[in-house]
């Protein structure tokens, strides 16, 4: 168990800078998820922490100690790789034991730890098989087991579930979370799947183009995104974005409708973006006086909920309502935008007004 | 496959000092430790000799040590190239060099031409669905594995005066022939034996090329009612062309360097009828007294220039084949 | 007729699938292959058969296909077995009698059935009785009179040592070139591959000097070291090691393995298929090597089998028996290796294009 701190961490490949000064503090025992689109530098960051990539500038501290110069093996970490990276020519048992042997651990101790990890991960019957003779999920468990036997201060995971099918992924997600609860170690977990991030993390770090966009607890990020990128990245279906301009006592939509906002002083001529989550929008009958007039373009039935795509004068809006909906494409409706659920983002993408809905700050 | 146990233990033993070394120089620089033995061997036995070759070629005298050899400039090259008529070896001051060069040219054209022809036919036959294909492939390939000395001795035994070939000739009413003592015949046999010894290799590569042609192309052609003749000329051969180019150039490069089997079979004789250029280098530098290292080195540089041209051809052929 | 024949030949080389029963072109194909079998294997078989012939039989012209030896019989009253002859008797009958001794053009013979009477026969009228027999004296003489075992040992030592060194040295370099990212890597790789373009024959003279200066002339090491690192080996192994996932090596690093340990516990075992192919090639190259040993080794006790064969060819111009036996023993190991690994070798060559 250990804290992890990154300070102005930079990674350059030749002249190309791919990580631009990352600052982060992960408390001891936290489950921290790095999430972001492909190519944003998640793996690079993780590999720098692991010691598999050199640090171009900045500092990495584990348990308060600078580890920049320490080789991978001596940072007290263990890593689970996306492709599992099991040694194909060794049995499962040898795979688990290899790292401990290299550390000069006594035989009896190795046997004990391997047996314990195998029991914990339910891979006891597989110990004498080669990786080739295992299913994807079993390989995954062995890869985790290889990290577990090392009893590391920090676990590192690089998209460990991305090679599994959807059902198995859900199951492994739960198991991993349970493992974290049982061991209580600090874990750093890389994924580009926001569902994994939301469900597993104590601390989500959203990365984009080699920078941290926002870091915090999942619901904090969901309800109070610091910028357009985070707002759009988390949540499915995506948050609705509409271009707006400040107006007397609120904002004016592209359709000309005015939306009253309690907080004044938004400047005058700035181009703003209004963001509102699909589940916060409400439908009203076409005859109702309130709301934005629109026409339903597409209805997606998911069973437990319905996604509606409505074309309005202000732009296309996605709505998410529970249950079933009798409407069909072409129906005329009105969309009610609750002002207290709206986020406003400035021209630079930063939030200028957060929604009042959701859990209160603090 | 497990490493042999003693080797295993040896490598384990080396681990400790290696790990200590790694702590001192860091893991990334350790790559140079892995490269070192290979680079040292290359440096000593390849790069240095390449440089030395130029030193030898531009110095004269009989000394082995380059420092004791007087610089003569391009004299060695001049004497090799000193000819009144380049088409007539006997007008050259180093007539043996020119004879060996002419022989090499003649040898390479005949050997490569017929060898590729027969390898192609064999590959085409073996590409059919035939019983025992693996066996026959092995049969044609087997001589490739034999050492040049063994190859030469096998044929020497067959071609000798009281050999089995003459026995057949006599049985069919002919006169025995001294195959290797007649200039024309011995050249024929030198070409024949070297085709015999190397054909399997080229056959194998052509066969791989043939098998890389997708089956559906043939099926499409069959649907188009193409005749066998058209299938061969319009589909198989064009699609095999890239492989063919590579094979021809490879055979040319190897052919120019032929030495061992001919040296053992005929010793270059009778006279100099079957002496090729590598044998000339060997004889000049090592067998003849005095040993003329400078001349041998100059001749080998001329050979290298020739090979360089052929290699460039190969690179072009390769590039074509990747594009095709 | 001619057009029929050409279309037949074409059919022979164009058809890729036999359909149902054998077409006559299939017969032609098998004919071609059988001719090939005869041409490719025949000479080797002939040498093997010949190597079992006695010195006297080797001089016979025309030669017999199979090795024969004269039959001897034990005759009561004579300590040694006597050679058996078929003799036409004055009465015109044929009898098989044993020869006691030869005096001029007369031979003293004895009928094994009636050993008391001695017959005198004109040597022109007798013919040896022969039966199939393998004369092994060609082989035994190699061990008794010639230093065959020494040459064999020299060859085996050079082949095994050079192959092991080469596998080690080349795989280390290949690992560095495949799995490390360091400044100058591409240059090293290009320099390595460039040596492929320098045929060994071209640098013969300076290699001789280097070997001489290192004091390796007339030692097996003078043959081993110049060939201990091959560009082909580096290239082949590197290409193979590129297919080993980087993550595996990272995983080993996280597992506290030193770089050296990663090399021999992870990379070497995983590169085993490529190493095996290369090992077969290396054995073949070394065992058959001729030009380099020829210039490096001049004392006959250092000769490899190939050199010994070459020198015997000159020295023992009449002793074909020993020479043939030695040829057979030299081609035997390669033949055995090929017999067991035929598929492996042929596919190895077809996919890598090296020899
Ligand atoms: N060795 C390298 N040399 C140069 N650029 C590199 C190197 N490795 C990674 N990059 C670049 O660094 C950036 C970040 O790569 P990284 O692998 O960290 O992305 P990622 O967030 O893990 O993406 P993914 O979700 O697809 O795995 C990418 O733009 C990539 O092109
Ligand atoms: Mg990644």
């Amino acid at each position: 168990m250990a804290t992890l701190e990154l300070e102005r961490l930079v990674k350059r490949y030749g002249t190309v800078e791919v990580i631009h000064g990352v600052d982060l503090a992960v408390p001891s025992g936290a489950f921290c998820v790095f999430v972001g689109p492909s190519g944003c530098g998640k793996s690079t960051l993780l590999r720098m922490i692991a010691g598999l990539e050199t640090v171009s500038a900045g500092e990495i501290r584990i348990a308060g100690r600078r580890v920049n110069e320490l080789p991978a093996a001596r940072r007290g970490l263990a890593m689970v790789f996306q492709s599992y990276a099991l040694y194909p020519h060794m049995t499962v048992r040898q795979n688990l034991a290899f790292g401990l042997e290299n550390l000069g651990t006594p035989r009896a101790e190795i046997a004990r730890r391997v047996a314990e990890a195998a029991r914990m991960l339910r891979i006891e019957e597989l110990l004498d098989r080669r990786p080739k003779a295992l299913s994807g999920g079993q390989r995954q468990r062995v890869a985790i087991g290889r990290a577990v036997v090392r009893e590391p201060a920090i676990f590192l995971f690089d998209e460990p579930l991305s090679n599994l099918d959807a059902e198995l992924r859900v199951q492994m997600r739960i198991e991993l979370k349970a493992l974290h609860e049982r061991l209580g170690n600090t874990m750093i977990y890389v994924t580009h799947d926001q569902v994994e991030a939301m469900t597993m993390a104590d601390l989500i770090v959203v990365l984009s183009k080699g920078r941290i966009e926002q870091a915090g607890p999942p619901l904090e990020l969901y309800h109070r995104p610091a910028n357009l990128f985070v707002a759009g990245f988390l949540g499915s279906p995506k948050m609705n974005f509409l271009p707006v301009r400040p107006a007397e006592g609120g904002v004016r939509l592209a359709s000309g409708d005015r939306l009253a906002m309690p907080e004044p002083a938004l400047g005058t001529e700035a181009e703003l973006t209004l963001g509102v989550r699909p589940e916060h929008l409400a439908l009203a009958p076409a005859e109702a006086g309130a709301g934005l007039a629109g026409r339903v373009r597409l209805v997606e039935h998911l069973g437990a909920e319905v996604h509606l795509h409505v074309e309005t004068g202000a732009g296309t809006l996605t709505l998410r309502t529970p249950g079933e909906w009798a409407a069909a494409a072409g129906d005329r409706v009105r969309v009610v935008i609750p002002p207290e659920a709206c986020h406003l983002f400035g021209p630079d993408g930063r939030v200028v007004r957060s929604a009042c809905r959701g859990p209160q700050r603090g | 496959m497990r490493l042999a146990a003693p080797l295993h233990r040896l490598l384990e033993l080396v681990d400790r000092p290696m790990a200590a070394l790694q702590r001192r120089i860091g893991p990334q620089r350790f790559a140079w430790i892995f490269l070192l033995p290979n680079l040292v061997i290359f440096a000593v036995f390849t790069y240095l000799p390449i440089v030395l070759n130029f030193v030898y070629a531009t110095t004269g005298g009989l000394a082995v040590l380059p420092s004791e050899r007087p610089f003569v400039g391009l004299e060695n090259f001049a004497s090799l190239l000193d000819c009144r008529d380049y088409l007539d070896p006997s007008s050259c001051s180093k007539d043996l060099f020119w004879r060996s060069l002419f022989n090499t040219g003649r040898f390479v054209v005949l050997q490569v031409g017929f060898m590729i022809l027969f390898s192609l036919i064999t590959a085409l036959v073996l590409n059919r669905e035939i019983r025992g294909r693996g066996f026959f492939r092995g049969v044609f390939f087997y001589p490739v594995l034999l050492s040049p000395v063994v190859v030469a001795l096998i044929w020497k035994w067959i071609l000798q005066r009281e050999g089995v070939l003459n026995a057949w000739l006599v049985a069919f009413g002919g006169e025995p022939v001294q195959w290797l003592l007649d200039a024309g015949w011995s050249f024929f046999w030198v070409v024949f034996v070297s085709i015999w010894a190397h054909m399997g290799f080229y056959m194998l590569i052509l066969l791989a090329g043939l098998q890389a042609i997708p089956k559906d192309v043939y099926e499409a052609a069959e649907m188009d009612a193409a005749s066998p003749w058209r299938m061969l000329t319009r589909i198989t051969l064009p699609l095999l062309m890239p492989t063919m180019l590579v094979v021809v150039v490879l055979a040319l490069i190897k052919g120019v360097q032929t030495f061992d089997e001919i040296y053992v079979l005929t010793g270059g004789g009778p006279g100099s009828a079957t002496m090729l250029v590598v044998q000339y280098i060997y004889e000049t530098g090592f067998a003849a007294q005095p040993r003329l290292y400078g001349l041998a080195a100059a001749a080998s540089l001329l050979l290298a220039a020739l090979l360089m041209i052929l290699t460039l051809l190969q690179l072009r052929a390769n590039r074509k084949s990747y594009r095709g | 007729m001619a057009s029929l024949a050409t279309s037949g030949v074409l059919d022979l080389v164009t058809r890729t699938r036999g359909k149902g029963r054998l077409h006559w072109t299939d017969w032609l194909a098998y004919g071609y292959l059988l001719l090939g079998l005869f041409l490719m294997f025949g000479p080797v078989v002939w040498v093997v058969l010949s190597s079992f012939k006695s010195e006297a039989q080797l001089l016979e012209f025309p030669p017999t296909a199979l090795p024969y030896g004269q039959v001897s019989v034990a005759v009561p009253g004579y300590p040694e077995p006597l050679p058996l002859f078929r003799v036409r008797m004055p009465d015109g009958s044929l009898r098989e009698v044993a020869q006691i001794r030869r005096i001029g053009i007369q031979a003293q013979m004895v009928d094994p059935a009636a050993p008391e009477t001695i017959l005198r026969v004109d040597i022109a009228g007798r013919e040896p009785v022969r039966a199939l027999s393998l004369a092994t004296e060609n082989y035994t003489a190699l061990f008794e009179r010639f230093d065959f075992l020494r040459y064999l040992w020299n060859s085996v030592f050079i082949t095994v040592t050079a192959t092991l060194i080469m596998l080690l040295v080349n795989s280390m370099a290949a690992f560095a070139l495949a799995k490390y990212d360091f400044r100058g890597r591409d240059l090293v790789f290009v320099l390595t591959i460039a040596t492929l373009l320098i045929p060994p024959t071209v640098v013969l003279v300076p290699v001789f000097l280097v070997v001489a200066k290192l004091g390796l002339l007339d030692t097996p090491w003078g043959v081993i070291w110049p060939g201990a690192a091959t560009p082909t080996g580096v290239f082949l192994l590197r290409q193979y090691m590129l297919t080993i996932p980087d993550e595996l090596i990272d995983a080993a690093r996280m597992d506290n393995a030193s770089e050296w340990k990663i090399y021999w516990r992870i990379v070497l075992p995983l590169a085993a298929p490529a190493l095996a192919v290369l090992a077969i090639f290396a054995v073949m190259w070394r065992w058959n090597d001729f030009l380099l040993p020829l210039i490096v080794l001049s004392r006959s006790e250092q000769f490899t089998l190939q050199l010994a064969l070459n020198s015997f060819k000159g020295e023992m111009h009449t002793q074909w028996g020993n020479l043939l036996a030695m040829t057979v023993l030299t081609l035997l190991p390669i033949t055995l290796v090929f017999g067991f690994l035929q598929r492996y070798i042929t596919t190895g060559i077809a996919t890598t294009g090296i020899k």
Side-chain angles (χ1 to χ4, degrees), chain C residues 18-288:
Chain C
K19 289 175 194 143
R21 49 189 286 274
L22 288 184
H23 191 256
W24 66 273
T25 58
D26 288 317
W27 290 109
L28 214 53
Y30 284 116
Y32 179 85
L33 292 177
L34 288 178
L35 182 71
L37 179 66
F38 174 74
L39 268 179
M40 294 290 158
F41 265 1
V44 179
V45 172
W46 176 241
V47 165
V48 173
L49 286 177
S50 303
S51 74
F52 286 105
K53 288 180 176 176
S54 65
E55 204 62 45
Q57 229 209 321
L58 285 172
L59 293 175
E60 260 173 42
F61 187 84
T64 56
L66 297 172
Y68 285 96
Q70 185 160 18
V71 177
S72 301
V73 287
V75 183
Y78 296 91
E80 301 280 318
L82 300 177
L84 201 60
F85 283 86
R86 190 171 290 119
V87 177
R88 184 164 298 281
M89 300 313 278
D91 61 357
S93 66
L94 272 177
R95 276 173 74 185
E96 287 190 357
V97 290
Q99 173 176 295
I100 303 163
R101 67 179 71 83
R102 202 184 122 186
I103 307 154
I105 59 160
Q106 288 267 308
Q108 289 186 349
M109 310 278 239
V110 62
D111 190 336
E116 313 78 45
T117 41
I118 290 180
L119 313 162
R120 283 173 204 288
V121 181
D122 191 353
I123 58 164
R126 55 165 207 171
E127 207 176 278
V129 175
R130 305 207 298 184
L132 276 188
S133 92
L134 299 181
T136 50
E137 66 260 22
N138 293 331
Y139 288 88
T140 51
L142 284 183
F143 295 93
E144 287 158 8
R145 278 191 287 134
F146 306 101
D147 242 351
F148 179 78
L149 283 178
R150 174 180 290 275
Y151 306 133
L152 180 67
W153 164 248
N154 288 343
S155 268
V156 168
F157 178 76
I158 289 178
T159 302
V160 171
T161 317
T163 301
L164 286 181
I165 292 180
M166 175 184 152
L167 290 179
L168 185 72
V169 165
N170 276 358
S171 63
M172 279 166 65
F175 176 43
L177 291 174
K179 289 297 169 196
Y180 287 88
D181 203 359
F182 56 93
R183 198 188 278 256
R185 181 186 64 182
D186 294 344
L187 179 71
V188 171
F189 184 59
V190 168
L191 276 181
T192 306
I193 296 310
T195 60
L196 268 177
L197 305 183
I198 317 290
T201 49
V202 166
V203 287
L204 207 56
V205 176
V207 163
F208 173 76
L209 168 78
V210 171
V211 170
K213 277 270 78 142
L214 293 175
L216 298 178
L217 278 189
D218 265 323
T219 68
W221 298 103
V223 181
I224 290 170
W225 285 120
T230 62
T232 319
V234 175
F235 183 71
L236 185 84
L237 291 174
R238 174 185 172 268
Q239 295 308 97
Y240 191 86
M241 287 178 187
L242 285 177
T243 66
I244 298 176
D246 289 340
E247 282 200 345
L248 220 49
I249 287 159
D250 287 341
R253 282 198 186 122
M254 296 299 292
D255 267 345
N256 215 341
S258 66
E259 303 301 307
W260 176 256
K261 198 162 207 163
I262 292 173
Y263 160 70
W264 71 265
R265 284 289 302 272
I266 309 289
V267 173
L268 268 197
L270 291 181
L275 285 172
V277 170
L278 188 62
I280 293 171
F281 285 125
V283 166
M284 214 168 85
W285 292 333
R286 294 296 128 196
W287 187 263
N288 292 344

Side-chain angles (χ1 to χ4, degrees), chain A residues 7-126:
Chain A
E7 197 178 308
R8 286 197 291 282
L9 205 56
V10 173
K11 178 66 190 177
R12 278 182 290 263
Y13 288 114
T15 55
V16 189
E17 194 171 292
V18 295
I19 302 286
H20 317 278
V22 162
D23 288 293
L24 182 69
V26 180
S28 177
F31 196 114
C32 170
V33 175
F34 291 177
V35 65
S38 187
C40 69
K42 308 178 294 286
S43 298
T44 308
L45 202 53
L46 194 73
R47 291 167 55 79
M48 283 163 81
I49 298 168
L52 295 170
E53 298 277 355
T54 56
V55 173
S56 306
E59 191 170 280
I60 303 174
R61 285 189 298 272
I62 293 175
R65 196 162 69 106
R66 178 185 159 100
V67 296
N68 284 30
E69 288 75 26
L70 274 188
R74 297 210 267 141
R75 295 189 183 189
L77 313 172
M79 185 154 167
V80 177
F81 293 85
Q82 179 171 1
S83 66
Y84 317 140
L86 299 178
Y87 309 122
H89 57 301
M90 299 184 191
T91 63
V92 168
R93 188 190 306 279
Q94 289 167 331
N95 262 283
L96 296 186
F98 185 66
L100 296 175
E101 282 167 9
N102 292 337
L103 286 166
T105 315
R107 273 173 196 286
E109 172 73 3
I110 294 180
R112 189 186 64 74
R113 288 209 216 168
V114 168
E116 191 182 309
R119 187 156 27 79
M120 193 194 306
L121 293 160
R122 286 175 286 118
I123 50 173
E124 289 144 302
E125 331 75 78
L126 311 176

